[in-house]
Amino acid sequence: MKRIAVTGGAGFLGSHLCERLLKEGNYVISIDNFFTGLKENIYHLKDNANFEIIRHDITEPMHIECDEIYNFACPASPIHYQRNPVHTFKTSVLGILNMLDLARNCGAKILQASTSEVYGDPLEHPQNESYWGHVNPNGIRSCYDEGKRGAETLMMDYHRKYNTDIKIIRIFNTYGPRMNENDGRVVSNFVIQALKNIPITVYGDGSQTRSFCYCEDLIDGAVKMMNSENFIGPVNLGNPFEITVLEFAETIIKMTNSKSEIVFKDLPKDDPVKRQPDIRLAQEKLNWSPKYKLEDGLKKTIEYFDNYLKRK
Ligand code: NAD
Ligand code: UDP
């Protein structure tokens, strides 16, 4: 049985990852400071004898025994990562430093949840792993983008200097059940607005694009990456199906039979114009491609938020 630490284990993706790793028969330790994570995301796992919950902020050092570390701790939505930008930066940089020291001390393999944001507002389209990005170093998204870039630097330097066993995944917009209701992301915002029949807030003219990956596909890719041989990444994980934000709003209105109208609001600063992953590397090295079509993943997400809103 492997002992696996998941930082950010009470978050949206972390909780799905804990669930998956437990199902595979591992001993799983969730490490989270509950900044955006919720106890209810992992409540159903609490009686599992192979599951442990540690309340801890990864900007502080820690010592536990483990074989693998998935570093998923970090607020991921612009509203949340901009709430305390200094702490976001520390979570990415000091957090990965502490986790790399932990990996070194106990000889564990470590996987970093990096992001498509390392490409910034990309000048190449679609983005592949060899593109170095187009990132504002001092804007309102920089605490997240540059923090994640710094974390990749530390991962690679520990690998080169100390031979630490590392893996880097670059996650593109991922959605699904247990997204935080208040994190202001486009999928949760639009689904909740549509279900409540209140106006759907499209920022800008809605011509910017995103490519949405369902959480189950993403977790599958992350686990495949951790278990891969002779491949450290970075590797893009995401769904290449690209859609404008306006088309996305229309899709959600249709799927929920909503009476919501679309209203246009100011575009946030530094909002990337286009985003689409080139996933050929993941296909080749991990034999991974997303299985969920957008409408199939959205169906499950709408169902989740519908039940969630009825429970509240
Ligand atoms: P989330 O906000 O739901 O989860 C993040 C978790 O990390 C939360 O449980 C939070 O409480 C915890 N956390 C934050 N700071 C911490 C700290 N200093 N110490 C300990 N715990 C801390 O976000 P998510 O969408 O599940 O994202 C998980 C990871 O995946 C993040 O690293 C994020 O950058 C990355 N990612 C996500 C997406 C996406 O579309 N969801 C895209 C790219 C990258
Ligand atoms: N967006 C929007 N309305 C919302 C929330 C987001 O139009 O209520 C837009 C946002 O400006 C961006 C896209 O949707 O262009 C995706 O935003 P999100 O915050 O989900 O992720 P990110 O910008 O990090 O990809």
Side-chain angles (χ1 to χ4, degrees):
M1 185 187 265
K2 279 191 286 192
R3 285 173 67 90
I4 306 181
V6 177
T7 77
F12 158 50
L13 291 177
S15 62
H16 287 286
L17 179 59
C18 289
E19 209 171 80
R20 158 82 185 251
L21 295 170
L22 283 168
K23 253 187 215 145
E24 287 178 352
N26 301 292
Y27 188 90
V28 177
I29 306 161
S30 162
I31 299 161
D32 205 298
N33 69 351
F34 295 98
F35 180 67
T36 50
L38 297 173
K39 270 194 246 164
E40 69 184 59
N41 285 345
I42 45 174
Y43 192 74
H44 60 297
L45 305 175
K46 73 177 189 340
D47 295 329
N48 189 320
N50 293 331
F51 188 55
E52 197 177 318
I53 299 171
I54 300 178
R55 186 183 193 108
H56 176 80
D57 188 316
I58 62 161
T59 61
E60 301 292 335
M62 76 181 302
H63 303 286
I64 53 168
E65 292 299 318
C66 59
D67 306 302
E68 292 177 355
I69 303 165
Y70 285 84
N71 188 42
F72 273 60
C74 188
S77 80
I79 287 185
H80 282 142
Y81 70 64
Q82 288 164 16
R83 197 162 88 208
N84 188 343
V86 175
H87 200 74
T88 298
F89 196 78
K90 281 186 180 172
T91 294
S92 281
V93 177
L94 290 181
I96 193 63
L97 206 52
N98 288 325
M99 290 305 115
L100 280 162
D101 283 336
L102 174 63
R104 234 183 123 198
N105 288 340
C106 56
K109 204 185 325 181
I110 179 165
L111 178 145
Q112 165 67 357
S114 189
T115 165
S116 54
E117 288 288 320
V118 299
Y119 302 121
D121 191 0
L123 302 179
E124 281 186 17
H125 194 72
Q127 296 78 54
N128 75 48
E129 292 83 351
S130 60
Y131 179 49
W132 288 353
H134 178 235
V135 182
N136 180 348
N138 52 32
I140 56 171
R141 289 176 92 104
S142 311
C143 60
Y144 184 73
D145 300 6
E146 295 291 15
K148 290 283 188 178
R149 285 166 69 94
E152 286 199 15
T153 308
L154 284 165
M155 290 283 283
M156 292 304 293
D157 283 334
Y158 266 64
H159 178 67
R160 286 186 283 252
K161 194 91 187 148
Y162 308 119
N163 209 20
T164 308
D165 197 352
I166 65 156
K167 307 275 179 188
I168 301 172
I169 57 171
R170 290 182 179 156
I171 304 173
F172 284 65
N173 293 64
T174 300
Y175 69 99
R178 301 199 203 121
M179 288 185 91
N180 193 309
E181 176 195 358
N182 301 314
D183 77 5
R185 309 203 73 186
V186 70
V187 179
S188 42
N189 268 12
F190 285 6
V191 170
I192 290 169
Q193 290 164 345
L195 288 171
K196 288 183 171 170
N197 292 305
I198 60 175
I200 298 217
T201 53
V202 168
Y203 301 157
D205 62 5
S207 62
Q208 70 272 36
T209 70
R210 292 293 186 272
S211 309
F212 298 103
C213 183
Y214 187 62
C215 53
E216 201 177 306
D217 281 332
L218 190 280
I219 296 302
D220 194 49
V223 172
K224 277 195 162 145
M225 181 59 172
M226 182 62 107
N227 296 335
S228 65
E229 303 279 346
N230 305 317
F231 179 51
I232 62 172
V235 65
N236 289 341
L237 294 180
N239 192 320
F241 177 76
E242 189 184 8
I243 185 168
T244 69
V245 166
L246 186 57
E247 283 164 343
F248 187 61
E250 285 158 355
T251 305
I252 299 220
I253 290 175
K254 203 166 120 207
M255 287 185 69
T256 50
N257 269 327
S258 174
K259 297 188 185 67
S260 295
E261 49 173 1
I262 292 174
V263 295
F264 295 90
K265 302 259 177 190
D266 289 346
L267 190 67
K269 204 164 176 314
D270 291 340
D271 200 86
V273 176
K274 284 177 172 187
R275 198 179 282 149
Q276 185 192 30
D278 177 339
I279 59 163
R280 281 174 297 174
L281 192 63
Q283 285 167 329
E284 181 200 330
K285 298 281 186 187
L286 307 175
N287 191 24
W288 175 88
S289 331
K291 296 195 173 59
Y292 277 85
K293 291 209 172 73
L294 183 62
E295 298 223 339
D296 298 334
L298 279 179
K299 222 181 263 171
K300 286 178 177 267
T301 310
I302 290 166
E303 202 178 289
Y304 166 80
F305 277 113
D306 197 25
N307 288 330
Y308 178 86
L309 293 174
K310 281 179 187 144
R311 268 202 324 266
K312 272 183 70 182

